[in-house]
Amino acid sequence: MSFSSQVKEELSRQIHKSRHCQIAEIAAILSFSGKLEETGQGDVLRVYTENLSLARKYFILMKKTFHVTASITVRQNIYLHKNRVFVISLSDNEEVKKVLQAVKWRSEKNEDIRTRELVQGLLIQKSCCRRAFIRGAFLSAGSMSDPEKSYHFEIVCAEEEKARQLTEIINSFDMDAKVVRRKKSYVAYLKEGAQIVDMLNIMEAHVSLLSLENVRILKEMRNSVNRQVNCETANINKTVNAAVKQLEDINYIKSTKGLDSLPENLREIALIRLEYPQAPLKELGTYLEPPVGKSGVNHRLRKLCEMADELRQTTSQGKNV
């Protein structure tokens, strides 16, 4: 089971105690997956989904909130690799009317009051209702990437205006959701791991939240170790390259002028470097008499490097003449 499916399974088993939150979640499900279809015997309110978790959640919510029992049928979708499609239908005219009025699709006079909005503001005035609405939206049209690979949370909307309203609802919790167009749809999304953790908390998916936090901690530890190893490797390479260059310079001076021509302090460090070719500067300083610090050793070796470069230049000019 994918991580996204685990989150939905957890959310599908949560039924909020407050009726206004239940209505807000039903409104979200109907906004994304619901259709009001006219028949010869009246209106039928249907929800179409391939997600068993959503079908179960919607069925339970309808029964608990409105005391109605919807019918469930299963169809094979031949256009989508024969996936099952769950159809949850409510056909009793009075029951349909009651639900539509509650989610603000119909007025008390049974007039159609739907707009281009995703949801009427009256249904999501309270923070708990906004949480419920986001929960229903994610169950209906949301997905999450595997946190082992990347951090990505999204809910797909059919229209840009609806996606913008959804981001406003999400961002009311101090989030930073954005909208992007994808083919014919508009996607409200989050990319940062910390914000996705917060989103799971908003939707009250606490078990999934802990799982995601564990993954984040392990990834951060791995990244920290990798950075430290890379840093140490770079330092080792730098030290080795510097030591190789120092040995080349000392040997060049030895083969041309000879080390006896050097001042005592430079001759001493040259001999120590030849004897301990792999030792770091701090260690080299302890072999001198009296001992010299790292900066002092570095200064003397730099002087040897400059002398070697001058000798090379003089030798090159003599050959050209």
Side-chain angles (χ1 to χ4, degrees), residues 267-279:
R267 183 173 64 255
E268 184 182 15
I269 193 63
L271 292 171
I272 291 294
R273 172 48 90 190
L274 289 173
E275 186 177 355
Y276 301 99
Q278 297 180 352

PDB file of all heavy atoms in Angstrom, residues 267-279:
ATOM      1  N   ARG A 267      65.596  24.322   6.272  1.00  0.00           N
ATOM      2  CA  ARG A 267      66.203  22.998   6.057  1.00  0.00           C
ATOM      3  C   ARG A 267      65.594  21.992   7.034  1.00  0.00           C
ATOM      4  O   ARG A 267      65.306  20.850   6.687  1.00  0.00           O
ATOM      5  CB  ARG A 267      67.721  23.067   6.252  1.00  0.00           C
ATOM      6  CG  ARG A 267      68.414  21.719   5.959  1.00  0.00           C
ATOM      7  CD  ARG A 267      69.930  21.825   5.984  1.00  0.00           C
ATOM      8  NE  ARG A 267      70.429  22.188   7.301  1.00  0.00           N
ATOM      9  CZ  ARG A 267      70.882  23.385   7.647  1.00  0.00           C
ATOM     10  NH1 ARG A 267      70.899  24.382   6.735  1.00  0.00           N
ATOM     11  NH2 ARG A 267      71.341  23.632   8.867  1.00  0.00           N
ATOM     12  N   GLU A 268      65.361  22.429   8.258  1.00  0.00           N
ATOM     13  CA  GLU A 268      64.811  21.535   9.284  1.00  0.00           C
ATOM     14  C   GLU A 268      63.410  21.060   8.904  1.00  0.00           C
ATOM     15  O   GLU A 268      63.114  19.855   8.959  1.00  0.00           O
ATOM     16  CB  GLU A 268      64.776  22.257  10.633  1.00  0.00           C
ATOM     17  CG  GLU A 268      64.311  21.361  11.786  1.00  0.00           C
ATOM     18  CD  GLU A 268      64.229  22.112  13.117  1.00  0.00           C
ATOM     19  OE1 GLU A 268      64.262  23.359  13.094  1.00  0.00           O
ATOM     20  OE2 GLU A 268      64.120  21.437  14.152  1.00  0.00           O
ATOM     21  N   ILE A 269      62.554  21.983   8.462  1.00  0.00           N
ATOM     22  CA  ILE A 269      61.182  21.592   8.103  1.00  0.00           C
ATOM     23  C   ILE A 269      61.167  20.754   6.825  1.00  0.00           C
ATOM     24  O   ILE A 269      60.350  19.850   6.663  1.00  0.00           O
ATOM     25  CB  ILE A 269      60.253  22.827   7.971  1.00  0.00           C
ATOM     26  CG1 ILE A 269      58.782  22.385   7.913  1.00  0.00           C
ATOM     27  CG2 ILE A 269      60.583  23.644   6.733  1.00  0.00           C
ATOM     28  CD1 ILE A 269      58.290  21.692   9.144  1.00  0.00           C
ATOM     29  N   ALA A 270      62.121  21.029   5.901  1.00  0.00           N
ATOM     30  CA  ALA A 270      62.208  20.238   4.671  1.00  0.00           C
ATOM     31  C   ALA A 270      62.553  18.789   4.986  1.00  0.00           C
ATOM     32  O   ALA A 270      61.962  17.843   4.436  1.00  0.00           O
ATOM     33  CB  ALA A 270      63.250  20.849   3.731  1.00  0.00           C
ATOM     34  N   LEU A 271      63.511  18.592   5.892  1.00  0.00           N
ATOM     35  CA  LEU A 271      63.910  17.224   6.268  1.00  0.00           C
ATOM     36  C   LEU A 271      62.784  16.496   7.007  1.00  0.00           C
ATOM     37  O   LEU A 271      62.573  15.290   6.800  1.00  0.00           O
ATOM     38  CB  LEU A 271      65.170  17.279   7.144  1.00  0.00           C
ATOM     39  CG  LEU A 271      66.456  17.743   6.424  1.00  0.00           C
ATOM     40  CD1 LEU A 271      67.572  17.962   7.427  1.00  0.00           C
ATOM     41  CD2 LEU A 271      66.870  16.717   5.371  1.00  0.00           C
ATOM     42  N   ILE A 272      62.074  17.228   7.857  1.00  0.00           N
ATOM     43  CA  ILE A 272      60.956  16.627   8.591  1.00  0.00           C
ATOM     44  C   ILE A 272      59.851  16.215   7.627  1.00  0.00           C
ATOM     45  O   ILE A 272      59.272  15.126   7.745  1.00  0.00           O
ATOM     46  CB  ILE A 272      60.406  17.610   9.646  1.00  0.00           C
ATOM     47  CG1 ILE A 272      61.427  17.823  10.777  1.00  0.00           C
ATOM     48  CG2 ILE A 272      59.080  17.119  10.223  1.00  0.00           C
ATOM     49  CD1 ILE A 272      61.687  16.596  11.605  1.00  0.00           C
ATOM     50  N   ARG A 273      59.564  17.086   6.627  1.00  0.00           N
ATOM     51  CA  ARG A 273      58.510  16.739   5.643  1.00  0.00           C
ATOM     52  C   ARG A 273      58.923  15.512   4.832  1.00  0.00           C
ATOM     53  O   ARG A 273      58.079  14.650   4.543  1.00  0.00           O
ATOM     54  CB  ARG A 273      58.233  17.936   4.743  1.00  0.00           C
ATOM     55  CG  ARG A 273      57.304  17.635   3.571  1.00  0.00           C
ATOM     56  CD  ARG A 273      56.038  16.880   3.996  1.00  0.00           C
ATOM     57  NE  ARG A 273      54.945  17.748   4.361  1.00  0.00           N
ATOM     58  CZ  ARG A 273      53.830  17.336   4.939  1.00  0.00           C
ATOM     59  NH1 ARG A 273      53.700  16.041   5.268  1.00  0.00           N
ATOM     60  NH2 ARG A 273      52.861  18.153   5.250  1.00  0.00           N
ATOM     61  N   LEU A 274      60.182  15.404   4.463  1.00  0.00           N
ATOM     62  CA  LEU A 274      60.638  14.234   3.716  1.00  0.00           C
ATOM     63  C   LEU A 274      60.534  12.962   4.560  1.00  0.00           C
ATOM     64  O   LEU A 274      60.241  11.887   4.043  1.00  0.00           O
ATOM     65  CB  LEU A 274      62.096  14.435   3.265  1.00  0.00           C
ATOM     66  CG  LEU A 274      62.313  15.477   2.156  1.00  0.00           C
ATOM     67  CD1 LEU A 274      63.804  15.699   1.923  1.00  0.00           C
ATOM     68  CD2 LEU A 274      61.628  15.047   0.866  1.00  0.00           C
ATOM     69  N   GLU A 275      60.776  13.112   5.874  1.00  0.00           N
ATOM     70  CA  GLU A 275      60.719  11.939   6.750  1.00  0.00           C
ATOM     71  C   GLU A 275      59.279  11.534   7.052  1.00  0.00           C
ATOM     72  O   GLU A 275      58.991  10.345   7.196  1.00  0.00           O
ATOM     73  CB  GLU A 275      61.449  12.263   8.063  1.00  0.00           C
ATOM     74  CG  GLU A 275      61.574  11.059   8.989  1.00  0.00           C
ATOM     75  CD  GLU A 275      62.366  11.369  10.245  1.00  0.00           C
ATOM     76  OE1 GLU A 275      62.900  12.490  10.361  1.00  0.00           O
ATOM     77  OE2 GLU A 275      62.461  10.473  11.118  1.00  0.00           O
ATOM     78  N   TYR A 276      58.373  12.518   7.110  1.00  0.00           N
ATOM     79  CA  TYR A 276      56.959  12.232   7.412  1.00  0.00           C
ATOM     80  C   TYR A 276      56.077  12.814   6.292  1.00  0.00           C
ATOM     81  O   TYR A 276      55.446  13.861   6.454  1.00  0.00           O
ATOM     82  CB  TYR A 276      56.564  12.852   8.750  1.00  0.00           C
ATOM     83  CG  TYR A 276      57.380  12.356   9.920  1.00  0.00           C
ATOM     84  CD1 TYR A 276      58.448  13.122  10.413  1.00  0.00           C
ATOM     85  CD2 TYR A 276      57.104  11.130  10.517  1.00  0.00           C
ATOM     86  CE1 TYR A 276      59.207  12.670  11.485  1.00  0.00           C
ATOM     87  CE2 TYR A 276      57.870  10.676  11.590  1.00  0.00           C
ATOM     88  CZ  TYR A 276      58.920  11.441  12.061  1.00  0.00           C
ATOM     89  OH  TYR A 276      59.681  11.009  13.115  1.00  0.00           O
ATOM     90  N   PRO A 277      56.072  12.152   5.137  1.00  0.00           N
ATOM     91  CA  PRO A 277      55.383  12.722   3.968  1.00  0.00           C
ATOM     92  C   PRO A 277      53.860  12.838   4.119  1.00  0.00           C
ATOM     93  O   PRO A 277      53.235  13.652   3.433  1.00  0.00           O
ATOM     94  CB  PRO A 277      55.746  11.753   2.840  1.00  0.00           C
ATOM     95  CG  PRO A 277      56.081  10.462   3.533  1.00  0.00           C
ATOM     96  CD  PRO A 277      56.701  10.863   4.833  1.00  0.00           C
ATOM     97  N   GLN A 278      53.254  12.038   4.982  1.00  0.00           N
ATOM     98  CA  GLN A 278      51.789  12.048   5.100  1.00  0.00           C
ATOM     99  C   GLN A 278      51.292  12.758   6.358  1.00  0.00           C
ATOM    100  O   GLN A 278      50.076  12.853   6.574  1.00  0.00           O
ATOM    101  CB  GLN A 278      51.252  10.616   5.083  1.00  0.00           C
ATOM    102  CG  GLN A 278      51.538   9.877   3.777  1.00  0.00           C
ATOM    103  CD  GLN A 278      50.988   8.458   3.795  1.00  0.00           C
ATOM    104  OE1 GLN A 278      50.531   7.973   4.825  1.00  0.00           O
ATOM    105  NE2 GLN A 278      51.035   7.785   2.652  1.00  0.00           N
ATOM    106  N   ALA A 279      52.176  13.258   7.168  1.00  0.00           N
ATOM    107  CA  ALA A 279      51.772  13.875   8.434  1.00  0.00           C
ATOM    108  C   ALA A 279      51.119  15.242   8.191  1.00  0.00           C
ATOM    109  O   ALA A 279      51.561  16.004   7.333  1.00  0.00           O
ATOM    110  CB  ALA A 279      52.991  14.036   9.340  1.00  0.00           C
TER     111      ALA A 279
END
